[in-house]
Amino acid sequence: MPAPTLTTARLVLRQLRADDAAALFPVLSDPEVMTWWSSGPHQSLAETANYVKGNAAEDEGYLCWAITDAGDDTALGWVILIDGKLDVKEIGYILRRDCWGSGLAREAVARVIDYGFGDLRLRRIFADTDPENSGSIALLERLGFQYEGRLRGEWETHIGVRDSLIYGLLRDEWTMETMP
């Protein structure tokens, strides 16, 4: 099933589409944005097109939303919910660097969390982040996620073997009132 369209005061979150590749190439080819990603910066639009096509696929065990401004359909990044155990999903996100610090990631991720706990009736959402990704850690903590543990040597990435920090949030811990 496609990801349902979700809205916030400033954003429209819609199903990621294969034709978002051109807009997302600057995101996925940016070395700073991709530092903590599981793969390195993309070298070509074709690489991004293939990657976006995979994330845009429906019925693959995840829901993936393009983050767009309310007045512009251009993808600025995405938020994804990945199937885990029954009533549990992992959340992931990426955002164009020139949008960092604007609160857009927080707004988009919070809206997807609200959908997950409200509409999907999930009991738990978790995130996996690199121990040195201070921006992602700060975002998760602002949204109420709790540090749950460290997985040593969890990922082999373009910058070497990396540990993962696991953050979790339970449905009864979440309220949209924590949002700005």
Side-chain angles (χ1 to χ4, degrees):
M1 94 175 167
T5 299
L6 307 173
T7 61
T8 72
R10 299 184 293 171
L11 302 173
V12 173
L13 307 176
R14 57 146 173 91
Q15 172 68 42
L16 183 71
R17 303 183 306 243
D19 67 0
D20 288 321
L24 291 171
F25 178 65
V27 180
L28 297 169
S29 63
D30 184 323
E32 189 173 351
V33 172
M34 298 298 284
T35 299
W36 310 119
W37 208 247
S38 57
S39 58
H42 290 191
Q43 300 302 308
S44 68
L45 180 55
E47 182 181 4
T48 298
N50 200 31
Y51 192 72
V52 170
K53 181 180 176 185
N55 281 287
E58 296 176 22
D59 301 320
E60 295 294 322
Y62 46 82
L63 297 170
C64 194
W65 289 266
I67 302 169
T68 69
D69 282 321
D72 183 354
D73 193 48
T74 303
L76 306 172
W78 71 64
V79 182
I80 190 168
L81 281 178
I82 304 165
D83 282 354
K85 300 176 185 134
L86 183 63
D87 299 330
V88 174
K89 291 192 186 291
E90 179 179 359
I91 197 163
Y93 40 86
I94 193 165
L95 186 65
R96 204 170 69 191
R97 184 164 33 110
D98 66 338
C99 296
W100 291 1
S102 66
L104 292 180
R106 182 177 182 190
E107 193 171 322
V109 172
R111 182 62 185 95
V112 170
I113 292 168
D114 199 54
Y115 171 77
F117 287 140
D119 295 68
L120 298 180
R121 302 298 302 154
L122 299 176
R123 67 178 162 82
R124 172 173 157 42
I125 296 174
F126 72 96
D128 170 345
T129 192
D130 189 282
E132 294 181 36
N133 188 346
S134 59
S136 186
I137 291 167
L139 173 63
L140 293 169
E141 290 176 348
R142 278 193 307 273
L143 290 169
F145 281 78
Q146 301 295 311
Y147 172 74
E148 296 180 336
R150 183 183 201 111
L151 303 174
R152 297 176 301 140
E154 177 70 1
W155 290 101
E156 186 169 347
T157 76
H158 59 288
I159 59 172
V161 175
R162 306 296 296 175
D163 292 357
S164 285
L165 300 183
I166 304 301
Y167 282 81
L169 183 64
L170 303 177
R171 181 175 50 223
D172 62 359
E173 297 169 338
W174 174 252
T175 60
M176 277 297 279
E177 287 75 41
T178 62
M179 280 298 303

